[in-house]
Amino acid sequence: QMNEIMKKITFLIVMALMTTAMVMAQGPRRGGQGQQRERDPKAHAERMTERMVKEYSLNEEQKKQLSELNLAHRLETDKAIEEYTQKTKKADKKEKNKEAKEKNAKEMADKMRESRKAQMDDYNAKLKKILTEEQYNDYTKKQAERQKRMEQGGRQQGRQPRQAQ
């Protein structure tokens, strides 16, 4: 009887270890609804700058200006998101009626979208002053392609993984 109990305990421990190993092997999830924003704005801005330096062959002066622009843009974006989150929480606590909550949430999301568009327009205007005409045209072309991919991906249900090009 004691031998039987030991077998069960051993089996449970092995199963727990296997489950833990499988979960850890999958690694942290990226993307989707649960994606966490990178906490450090400076690290994010640096990564974005490095990507753009390589992608558009920027010189050192452009890199310096772009780094400053990207950091300011990220800080502004984070601030806007935080304000939106706080307003949403306050509004949800105030409203008892489900329809009023939904209407309020839609209005706030529309305002956030407008604010985000204005931020991007400002960013693009400043970026245009940093990049050459050819670099900026390449940037806008790639941004349009990214936007198109995002829109297509958002509408597809059960989409297939991207194929290598």
Side-chain angles (χ1 to χ4, degrees):
Q1 203 179 36
M2 186 67 151
N3 199 14
E4 193 66 30
I5 292 173
M6 289 301 288
K7 283 182 182 178
K8 287 181 181 179
I9 290 173
T10 303
F11 176 75
L12 289 173
I13 290 172
V14 169
M15 290 304 292
L17 289 172
M18 287 176 55
T19 302
T20 302
M22 286 191 297
V23 169
M24 291 180 77
Q26 291 180 7
R29 291 185 163 231
R30 293 187 55 128
Q33 297 285 44
Q35 181 177 8
Q36 293 248 333
R37 295 181 59 79
E38 187 171 338
R39 300 275 184 228
D40 181 20
K42 190 172 183 178
H44 179 270
E46 286 174 9
R47 199 174 68 250
M48 186 174 171
T49 300
E50 287 304 320
R51 179 186 58 81
M52 292 175 77
V53 165
K54 289 177 188 167
E55 204 167 333
Y56 306 111
S57 304
L58 306 184
N59 64 36
E60 283 303 311
E61 182 59 29
Q62 288 174 312
K63 179 180 177 179
K64 181 180 177 242
Q65 292 174 350
L66 181 62
S67 181
E68 292 170 4
L69 176 62
N70 283 340
L71 180 57
H73 178 69
R74 178 58 194 251
L75 291 171
E76 186 179 359
T77 299
D78 284 356
K79 181 181 175 190
I81 289 170
E82 183 60 32
E83 288 174 0
Y84 173 77
T85 302
Q86 294 301 322
K87 286 179 184 177
T88 302
K89 286 179 182 176
K90 284 181 185 177
D92 278 352
K93 288 179 183 177
K94 273 188 200 177
E95 296 293 341
K96 304 293 181 205
N97 171 327
K98 183 180 178 182
E99 288 81 24
K101 273 186 182 183
E102 289 173 358
K103 181 182 176 204
N104 197 6
K106 184 182 179 335
E107 288 173 0
M108 288 196 323
D110 289 344
K111 286 180 186 175
M112 178 67 175
R113 227 180 332 275
E114 289 171 20
S115 170
R116 184 76 180 118
K117 184 180 180 333
Q119 281 180 336
M120 284 307 299
D121 289 346
D122 182 56
Y123 175 83
N124 287 333
K126 290 175 180 173
L127 184 63
K128 190 172 188 174
K129 292 177 183 176
I130 296 171
L131 303 179
T132 65
E133 187 176 344
E134 184 180 328
Q135 290 168 331
Y136 187 75
N137 289 340
D138 194 24
Y139 165 79
T140 55
K141 180 181 161 197
K142 288 181 181 179
Q143 286 299 101
E145 290 169 2
R146 285 184 180 112
Q147 182 68 30
K148 186 177 177 183
R149 277 197 313 264
M150 282 177 37
E151 288 172 0
Q152 289 173 341
R155 282 190 231 119
Q156 295 174 353
Q157 295 291 347
R159 66 177 194 246
Q160 299 295 316
R162 277 192 219 147
Q163 305 225 339
Q165 293 179 347

